[in-house]
Amino acid sequence: MSDKNSPPPRFGRRVVVGVNTSGASAVVSDEQSLPTTELANGIILQEVWQQRDVPGKPVDQPQPDWTLGPAAPTTGGVVRILTVPAGHGRGPEGPDLHTDASLHVMTMLKGELIVALEDGNVTLGIGDSIILRGSMHDLRNDQSTPATFVYTSFPLLVSNA
């Protein structure tokens, strides 16, 4: 069992399958590490996949020059692994509720995460998923170990009607 001082988990290998010159399914790239960014608040963001346009094409590849940082995409979509450090979001200041015009789907891999909403909180454990559709939210980890989840985000069409 890890403690508060142990390094957060880093997920690594990304294998991309496409087709070979014969038209058969084959590995087209095999990278031993994911592009990783540590945000100022200690959250570790690892890019699994970036898709600038949806629908995608079978030949699409991740685009390292299309760096979004922590922002949700305004076109296309992203698949990321995020690790929230132990004790993140504790304190008297309360939740930092925020939103964007995106559909976020989060599935917990490790630890426990509190999703603060305007009307209460939801606690997620391993295997739990939450879908945030342009919803005000904040993430908090009150546990003594990091919380890690897969995060997929796509833009939402927002209308004034």
Side-chain angles (χ1 to χ4, degrees):
M1 176 150 183
S2 62
D3 62 33
K4 190 173 182 173
N5 298 320
S6 66
R10 303 276 174 125
F11 295 86
R13 189 170 175 211
R14 173 173 55 192
V15 178
V16 179
V17 175
V19 294
N20 64 18
T21 56
S22 303
S25 60
V27 172
V28 296
S29 71
D30 188 343
E31 301 168 61
Q32 294 304 309
S33 63
L34 296 173
T36 301
T37 303
E38 185 166 352
L39 306 178
N41 60 7
I43 292 176
I44 295 173
L45 183 151
Q46 295 178 274
E47 298 282 355
V48 176
W49 190 259
Q50 302 166 327
Q51 186 71 42
R52 190 182 300 255
D53 298 306
V54 176
K57 299 173 201 72
V59 295
D60 287 345
Q61 292 291 318
Q63 300 173 355
D65 61 331
W66 190 47
T67 55
L68 300 169
T74 56
T75 64
V78 295
V79 179
R80 298 174 169 153
I81 297 173
L82 274 74
T83 299
V84 178
H88 174 81
R90 279 195 226 158
E93 65 276 355
D96 179 19
L97 294 174
H98 59 280
T99 190
D100 52 46
S102 298
L103 171 72
H104 303 300
V105 180
M106 300 164 40
T107 301
M108 295 298 299
L109 298 175
K110 183 177 180 180
E112 185 177 283
L113 192 66
I114 297 169
V115 181
L117 305 170
E118 291 175 291
D119 186 21
N121 297 329
V122 176
T123 301
L124 303 175
I126 296 170
D128 293 343
S129 297
I130 191 167
I131 292 87
L132 299 164
R133 299 178 291 186
S135 308
M136 294 291 286
H137 67 281
D138 190 24
L139 306 178
R140 192 173 80 230
N141 179 4
D142 288 345
Q143 302 300 307
S144 61
T145 57
T148 301
F149 58 94
V150 174
Y151 163 94
T152 303
S153 183
F154 299 95
L156 285 174
L157 180 61
V158 179
S159 70
N160 296 332

